[in-house]
């Protein structure tokens, strides 16, 4: 990856990385490779065959036994002095590392580099080449080279950590991974102004860069060192080593937005399916995060060196899916808890892949909460996450519902008790306090309305899901319901078989008074809406037009007090635009038709009532007996007077006193007859 560095280590003489050992060595001109076998160029015949994998080493016992405790033990435990074959298939570093160790045993010069030092150090530990056998043995010298040369160099630390990927668990047990991670973290957190070592930097943006730009970046140039200078070098590491480096960087106190930008850069390189289109570059997304931690982060990233080749669009091979799942789970676990450490667009793309690859539910829930923290920064394209259950809706509406709920819970928590959060909540959402922000709710309301308009075209979307998502936000979040009306109209178009009750239920989520004049005019002529909603819209439109004209007349007259009344109907019609007049004429005709139908129903009701009363009177006459006593006649007359209407009382007002007097006398005669 890099050329050899010109970093010098003063006071440390390692012969430019060349190890030699003159003790117990045989005179030889070196090693010779014939087919798959190594031979020592000497006149003494070989007496030991060491087999490592498919490679054979024809060596001598004495140089190996004098420096390797493991070789001593193998031959001693075998109880066979004539043993001449040994297999070391589990030796870390493979044939390459054993070749260097064998050359060291023969006293040949061994060139130590960042590419071979980790394998040679692990092989020396495996062969037990300790100081007990010989002073200055291979373990001591490789350990010294690691400590004094490798760990003091930025590039060597990266390369050694990269070479440790094939040396597990030896590299972990020997603390090579930990020491390299610490060294990288210290240098990454250093002040960019004090950097004196070379680094790779970002790849050139243009397709045909100049010759000078193709060289590695260097701090000796005139331009200052950018704060993200270490992103490209660290991104070549395997995910577990990258996590170790980022964890060490967090401990050192680096800014969380820089850590988030490094994570996005790494994801763009190792997850080729994270961003579908190739527009944009990873460095643009990271720059926006570094320059402004509160940016929306809607930029995309361009993949670089891919560990996994993208497979078919429909299905991902099992091996690739397993590796990508591990990368996603690791990245979710190291994202800084502060808000805006990564962009909302990146989180939603990560969430899309997490659902597709069946990531652990606990991590998916945590990722959803992170999206809810900055949900107002999302875009419609990011929210259109496919539903991977083929029997349900095209887009995952339930996921958006959960994201919206997390956003509302976060808003409610911050507005009600911003200082009373538990310790775990503070740790989880540290730096996310922003107080109640009505503008955030308004942006989310517009986003939800746009999302509803898009998903309403799906015939599998149930009315309940649409209604629940539309009513999730409080009424104060929407100052205008035009977006919601557009979504309702789109849903009615895609679902023409809805009953009248279902259409009324759907339109109930909309407030007609929050519609603009243009939306009112469209709704007044919309045949898909229920008639009751159309009447409400027409009334709201009339009020809006009247108030708008009144306000305009007040502005022209320079009056300071608001008067919503218009002088007369003629003035209203003259000041109304022609399009409004045509719409109002149609609406007025519908209203007059409804009034006429109502008056007709009232007239029929009165007519039926009169007929019923007439029939009742005729029935009463038929039931009266021909012969009645004086008491019965007087009592019926009294009952008749009490049942008369006020109008009948006025017609026979002159006869009322006489009848009352007769009524008073009748009981007296009844009492006399009894006595």
């Amino acid at each position: 990856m890099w050329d050899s560095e010109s970093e010098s280590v003063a006071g440390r003489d390692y012969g430019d990385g060349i190890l030699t050992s003159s003790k117990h060595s045989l005179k030889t001109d070196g090693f010779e490779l014939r087919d798959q076998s190594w031979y020592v160029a000497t006149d003494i015949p070989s007496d030991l065959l060491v087999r490592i994998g498919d490679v054979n080493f024809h060596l001598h016992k004495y140089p190996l036994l004098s420096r390797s405790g493991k070789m001593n033990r193998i031959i001693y435990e075998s109880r066979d002095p004539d043993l001449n074959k040994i297999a070391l298939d589990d030796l870390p570093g493979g044939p390459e590392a054993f070749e260097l160790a064998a050359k060291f045993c023969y006293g040949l010069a061994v060139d130590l580099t960042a590419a071979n030092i980790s394998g040679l150090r692990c092989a020396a530990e495996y062969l037990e080449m300790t100081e007990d056998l010989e002073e200055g043995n291979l373990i001591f010298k490789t350990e010294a080279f690691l400590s004094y040369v490798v760990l003091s160099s930025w590039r060597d630390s990266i390369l050694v950590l990269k070479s440790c990927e094939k040396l597990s668990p030896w590299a972990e047990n020997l603390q090579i991974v930990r020491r390299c991670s610490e060294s990288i973290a210290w240098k990454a957190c250093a002040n960019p102004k004090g950097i004196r070592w070379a680094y790779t930097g970002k790849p050139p943006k243009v397709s045909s860069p100049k010759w000078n730009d193709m060289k590695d970046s260097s701090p000796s140039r005139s331009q200052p060192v950018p704060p993200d200078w270490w992103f490209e070098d660290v991104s070549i590491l395997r995910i577990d080593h990258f996590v170790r480096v980022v964890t060490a960087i967090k401990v050192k106190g680096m800014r969380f937005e820089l850590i988030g930008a490094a994570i996005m850069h790494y994801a763009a390189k190792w997850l080729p399916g994270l961003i579908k289109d190739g527009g944009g570059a990873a460095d643009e997304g990271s720059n926006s995060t570094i320059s402004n931690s509160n940016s929306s982060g809607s930029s995309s990233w361009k993949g670089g060196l891919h560990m996994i080749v993208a497979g078919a669009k429909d299905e991902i091979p099992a091996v690739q899916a397993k590796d990508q799942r591990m990368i996603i789970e690791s990245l979710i676990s190291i994202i800084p808890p502060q808000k805006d450490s990564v962009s909302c667009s990146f989180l939603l793309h990560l969430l899309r892949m997490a659902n597709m690859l069946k990531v652990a539910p606990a991590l998916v829930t945590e990722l959803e909460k992170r999206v809810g923290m900055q949900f107002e920064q999302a875009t419609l394209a990011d929210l259109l996450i496919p539903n991977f259950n083929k029997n349900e809706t095209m887009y995952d509406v339930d996921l958006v519902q959960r994201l919206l709920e997390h956003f509302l819970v976060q808003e409610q928590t911050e507005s009600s008790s911003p200082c009373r959060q538990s310790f775990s909540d503070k740790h989880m959402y540290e730096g996310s306090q922003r107080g109640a922000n009505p503008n955030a709710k308004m942006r989310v309301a517009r986003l939800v309305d746009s999302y509803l308009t898009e998903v309403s075209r799906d015939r599998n979307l149930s009315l309940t899901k649409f209604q629940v998502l539309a009513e999730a936000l409080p009424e104060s979040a929407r100052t205008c319901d035009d977006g919601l009306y557009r979504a309702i109209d789109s849903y009615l178009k895609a679902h023409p078989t809805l009953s009248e009750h279902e259409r009324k239920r759907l339109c109930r989520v909309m407030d007609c008074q929050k519609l603009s004049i243009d939306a009112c005019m469209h709704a007044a002529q919309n045949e898909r809406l229920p008639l009751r909603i159309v009447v409400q819209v027409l009334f709201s439109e009339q009020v809006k037009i009247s108030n708008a004209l009144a306000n305009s007349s007040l502005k022209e007259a320079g009056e300071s007090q608001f008067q919503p009344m218009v002088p007369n109907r003629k003035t209203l019609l003259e000041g109304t635009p022609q399009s409004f007049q045509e719409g109002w004429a149609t609406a007025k005709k519908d209203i007059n038709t409804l009034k006429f139908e109502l008056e007709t129903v009232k007239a029929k009701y009165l007519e039926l009532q009169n007929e019923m009363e007439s029939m009742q009177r005729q029935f009463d006459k038929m039931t009266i007996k021909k012969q009645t006593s004086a008491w019965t006649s007087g009592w019926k007359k009294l009952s008749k007077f009490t049942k008369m209407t006020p109008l009948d009382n006025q017609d026979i007002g002159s006869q009322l006193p006489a009848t009352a007097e007769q009524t008073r006398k009748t009981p007296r005669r009844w009492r006399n007859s009894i006595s």
Side-chain angles (χ1 to χ4, degrees), residues 22 59 75-76 116 145 163 207 248 262 270 288 376 389 391 468 609 612 641:
S22 58
L59 306 174
I75 295 178
Y76 175 77
N116 62 26
F145 186 81
S163 65
S207 58
W270 293 89
S288 63
E376 70 275 8
N389 295 328
N391 297 329
V468 169
Q609 187 177 13
M612 186 187 68
F641 281 122

Side-chain angles (χ1 to χ4, degrees), residues 629-635 659-673:
S629 62
W631 176 85
T632 305
S633 177
W635 185 260
T659 307
E661 183 179 357
Q662 185 179 1
T663 305
R664 286 193 300 270
K665 292 179 180 179
T666 302
R668 185 180 297 115
R669 290 197 299 269
W670 176 252
R671 288 196 299 269
N672 293 336
S673 62

Side-chain angles (χ1 to χ4, degrees), residues 314-558:
D314 297 334
E315 296 182 358
I316 300 178
V319 177
Q320 296 182 9
K322 181 180 178 181
D323 294 336
Q324 290 187 351
R325 187 185 305 113
M326 181 180 64
I327 293 175
I328 292 175
E329 291 178 349
S330 301
L331 293 180
I332 294 174
S333 63
I334 63 173
I335 293 177
Q338 292 85 352
K339 183 195 173 187
D340 295 325
S341 57
V342 293
S343 67
C344 186
S345 178
F346 170 77
L347 291 175
L348 285 170
H349 283 93
L350 205 61
L351 183 59
R352 179 199 301 261
M353 290 198 69
N355 288 334
M356 180 177 61
L357 297 173
K358 307 299 181 183
V359 172
L363 292 175
V364 173
T365 302
E366 181 60 33
L367 192 57
E368 291 176 358
K369 291 181 180 179
R370 295 301 307 271
V371 175
M373 290 173 56
Q374 48 200 96
F375 193 54
E376 70 275 8
Q377 302 173 6
T379 61
L380 177 60
D382 297 334
L383 282 184
L384 296 177
I385 299 177
N387 193 342
F388 298 100
N389 295 328
K390 297 181 180 180
N391 297 329
E392 297 184 3
T393 56
M394 181 184 301
Y395 297 109
D396 199 342
V397 181
D398 294 334
L399 172 61
V400 177
Q401 176 70 29
R402 293 195 299 271
L403 297 178
L404 185 56
E405 290 174 357
H406 291 312
F407 168 78
L408 294 175
V409 169
Q410 184 69 16
E411 288 285 327
Q412 182 67 23
T413 303
E414 293 172 359
S415 60
S416 60
S417 56
C419 299
R420 295 183 181 180
Q421 291 180 337
S422 62
F423 175 79
S424 60
D425 292 339
K426 288 181 180 179
H427 174 73
M428 200 62 241
Y429 303 109
E430 181 182 358
S432 65
Q433 297 294 335
R434 60 182 182 272
N437 187 0
N439 293 330
K441 289 185 179 180
M442 293 179 184
R443 287 195 295 269
V444 170
R446 290 193 294 267
L447 178 64
V448 170
D449 292 345
S450 301
Y451 181 79
L452 285 173
T453 303
E454 187 68 27
V455 301
S456 62
R457 301 183 180 94
D458 188 357
R459 295 184 179 273
N460 293 328
L461 180 63
S462 64
L463 177 59
T464 302
K465 286 188 177 182
F466 184 96
Q467 186 177 7
V468 169
L469 186 57
E471 294 177 344
L473 287 168
E475 295 182 0
S476 59
R478 291 185 178 93
T479 57
C480 179
D481 277 8
D482 285 8
L484 193 56
Y485 166 70
R486 191 179 300 109
I488 291 174
D489 186 46
S490 178
Y491 190 87
L492 291 173
K493 286 181 182 178
H495 302 78
T497 59
L498 291 178
S499 63
E500 183 72 13
H501 174 72
E502 290 175 334
R503 288 190 292 141
K504 289 181 180 179
R505 175 184 164 193
L506 175 64
C507 295
R508 199 176 295 128
V509 303
M510 174 183 61
D511 187 358
C512 297
Q513 296 181 359
K514 291 185 179 181
L515 295 178
S516 64
I517 296 179
D518 294 336
C520 288
M521 292 183 60
H522 185 276
Q525 303 175 6
N526 194 342
E527 298 178 354
R528 291 178 290 272
L529 296 179
L531 184 59
R532 182 178 181 180
I533 300 299
V534 174
V535 173
Q536 293 179 3
V537 169
L538 292 173
F539 177 76
S540 176
E541 180 185 10
Q542 183 183 11
V543 173
K544 285 184 175 62
I545 294 175
S546 301
N547 291 337
L549 294 176
N551 289 334
S552 62
S553 61
L554 286 176
K555 289 180 181 179
E556 294 176 358

Side-chain angles (χ1 to χ4, degrees), residues 96-354:
E96 296 81 6
F98 184 79
E99 176 194 350
L100 298 177
K103 287 182 178 180
F104 176 80
C105 292
Y106 278 88
L108 298 176
V110 178
D111 186 12
L112 297 182
T113 63
N116 62 26
I117 185 61
S118 57
L120 187 58
R121 172 66 183 88
C122 295
E125 189 72 21
Y126 177 87
L127 295 172
E128 302 174 11
M129 302 176 71
T130 62
E131 296 295 294
D132 297 337
L133 298 176
E134 180 183 352
E135 185 178 356
N137 209 344
L138 188 57
I139 290 180
F140 173 79
K141 293 191 175 181
T142 52
E143 190 66 31
F145 186 81
L146 271 173
S147 301
Y148 295 103
V149 178
V150 172
L151 297 182
S152 63
S153 168
W154 167 259
R155 288 183 169 179
D156 286 350
S157 299
I158 294 286
L159 286 178
V160 169
L161 189 56
K162 180 69 177 176
S163 65
C164 290
E165 296 175 359
K166 300 178 180 180
L167 299 173
S168 299
W170 288 90
E172 283 282 354
N173 297 335
L174 295 175
Q175 304 296 319
I176 299 176
V177 174
R178 182 190 62 80
R179 287 183 290 172
C180 289
S181 300
E182 292 286 339
S183 174
I184 294 170
W186 276 113
K187 293 176 175 59
C189 294
N191 190 344
K193 296 181 180 179
I195 292 177
R196 294 294 179 265
W197 53 82
Y199 57 90
T200 301
K202 294 182 179 179
K205 298 181 181 180
V206 294
S207 58
S208 300
K210 297 180 181 179
W211 175 257
N212 293 333
D213 293 337
M214 295 179 66
K215 299 179 181 179
D216 288 345
S217 302
S218 173
S220 61
R221 295 187 179 185
S222 59
Q223 67 268 22
V225 177
D228 57 348
W229 61 270
W230 51 276
F231 286 5
E232 186 65 26
D233 290 341
V234 173
S235 64
I236 70 170
L237 300 175
R238 198 174 63 185
I239 182 61
D240 54 339
H241 294 161
F242 177 77
V243 170
R244 294 286 295 270
V245 171
V246 171
T247 303
I249 288 175
K250 283 183 180 180
V251 175
K252 302 297 184 295
M254 178 172 283
R255 290 181 298 164
F256 64 87
E257 62 268 17
L258 270 177
I259 297 176
I263 293 173
M264 290 192 293
H265 186 87
Y266 186 90
K269 174 170 287 191
W270 293 89
L271 296 174
L274 190 65
I275 304 298
K276 291 184 178 180
D277 50 1
D283 49 316
E284 294 176 1
S286 59
N287 275 338
S288 63
T289 308
I290 296 168
S291 60
N292 185 8
S293 62
N294 295 322
S295 63
S296 61
S298 59
S299 60
S300 57
W301 307 270
K302 180 177 67 177
L305 179 62
H306 299 326
M307 177 184 70
I308 303 166
V309 180
K313 294 183 178 180
D314 297 334
E315 296 182 358
I316 300 178
V319 177
Q320 296 182 9
K322 181 180 178 181
D323 294 336
Q324 290 187 351
R325 187 185 305 113
M326 181 180 64
I327 293 175
I328 292 175
E329 291 178 349
S330 301
L331 293 180
I332 294 174
S333 63
I334 63 173
I335 293 177
Q338 292 85 352
K339 183 195 173 187
D340 295 325
S341 57
V342 293
S343 67
C344 186
S345 178
F346 170 77
L347 291 175
L348 285 170
H349 283 93
L350 205 61
L351 183 59
R352 179 199 301 261
M353 290 198 69

